[in-house]
DNA sequence: GTCTATATGCAGATAGAC
DNA sequence: GTCTATCTGCATATAGAC
């Protein structure tokens, strides 16, 4: 417990993220977060002026990161190579980060997040990311494929149930499937039978 | 408003489903549901003994339906044809039903549903459905593909952003992509590059 | 920077009249 | 089958002492 000096804000973020992800935003009370940290509710209000400001705090880092990816992609030609590189970079961000669970939190709290500005921003950003993935081919199937390739990355943590599988292996599988989904995008015609 | 006699229970279900889906389960109060129906909260308690019993009421129909699909699939050989037929039947159920939004509700309230028994049952059932889709090939990539094929059906309503597109067209696109995802399952080796 | 104490409000739920 | 009235509890949030 070395970090008790000054690190309180970070500890609040970490605990809140964990509880929000597990139980949901609405079901997690500030009392619960405070108890877990062995402080009082009032202490939380010193660090964050409201409950949803806690959410904002850990969503913002991700927004920046996604913005960078989008900007990078838009500077590239809309080729398959670009799409693949983009999803790979995104997967790196998801798997590498110290807190991969920000996206899990987001997935698990979609509806609630609609009414939070942080949530709306994140929603918008993921839309733009999907757009960057199908850029140059806005056919319905390309749109669906692009979105699903993001889901491949997001859901591999639970969709792959094999026990004891490593994160690196999950990432590899996710990208294998994502690549296949991206392949037909931008082709003259989809792989209709 | 012909159904005002006796149809109250159904009207409650319909409004609750809509609000739960849009705003989330926790954020939607019984007061809000009651106001929308122009009745009092107490009236709701005549029809349902608790808030989560409302959820249970509209989840149960779906459970049965999914159970039938699973049972059917398990009676078939684990071939690609079976997988494709299964996802097609599932898509029919999703798109045909009078209330396709039950699954939307479920997607949007995952975390909250963890603590509701109806939610746990639905979770379990979707897991089994995914298993039925990769039956005979439990490789990690097959598991991910099977899960994503379900997502293709579930998410086509928002992932495909083309305006004025019909439900039938969405269903067709979803199945096109789902079929592609299912194709490599059960093959000697995945389509590694 | 963290505390105690408290304000204020709405949630889910029940009792019992009509 | 729907109402009014009310219970009980916990939520977010604030004021002000230490």
């Amino acid at each position: 417990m070395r970090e008790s000096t000054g690190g309180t804000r970070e500890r609040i973020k970490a605990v809140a993220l964990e509880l929000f992800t597990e139980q949901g935003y609405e079901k997690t009370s500030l009392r619960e977060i405070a108890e877990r940290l062995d402080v009082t509710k009032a202490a939380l209000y010193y660090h964050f002026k409201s409950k949803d400001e806690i959410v904002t705090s850990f969503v913002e880092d991700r927004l920046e990161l996604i913005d960078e990816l989008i900007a990078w992609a838009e500077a590239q030609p809309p080729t398959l190579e670009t799409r693949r590189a983009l999803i790979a970079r995104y997967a790196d961000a998801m798997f590498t980060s110290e807190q991969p669970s920000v996206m899990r939190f987001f997935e698990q709290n979609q509806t609630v997040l609609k009414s939070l500005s942080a949530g709306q921003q994140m929603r918008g950003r993921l839309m733009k990311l999907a757009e960057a993935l199908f850029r140059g081919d806005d056919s319905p199937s390309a749109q669906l494929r692009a979105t699903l390739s993001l889901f491949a990355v997001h859901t591999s943590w639970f969709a792959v149930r094999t026990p004891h599988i490593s994160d690196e292996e999950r990432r590899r599988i996710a990208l294998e499937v994502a690549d296949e989904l991206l392949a037909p995008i931008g082709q003259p015609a989809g792989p209709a039978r």
Side-chain angles (χ1 to χ4, degrees), chain A residues 34 39-48:
Chain A
V39 296
T40 61
K41 276 192 293 177
L44 301 186
Y45 279 96
Y46 172 80
H47 293 282
F48 298 93

Side-chain angles (χ1 to χ4, degrees), chain A residues 25-77:
Chain A
Y25 175 79
E26 297 282 348
K27 273 214 140 161
T28 305
S29 66
L30 295 180
R31 181 187 50 76
E32 205 175 349
I33 296 172
E35 272 172 12
R36 183 100 148 219
L37 287 166
D38 220 33
V39 296
T40 61
K41 276 192 293 177
L44 301 186
Y45 279 96
Y46 172 80
H47 293 282
F48 298 93
K49 79 172 211 295
S50 72
K51 190 182 180 183
D52 66 59
E53 216 194 72
I54 301 179
V55 173
T56 305
S57 77
F58 54 65
V59 163
E60 264 168 1
D61 323 346
R62 288 306 165 115
L63 288 182
E64 254 181 79
L65 199 149
I66 296 177
D67 279 339
E68 285 168 24
L69 284 181
I70 294 171
W72 174 84
E74 284 174 349
Q76 311 295 316

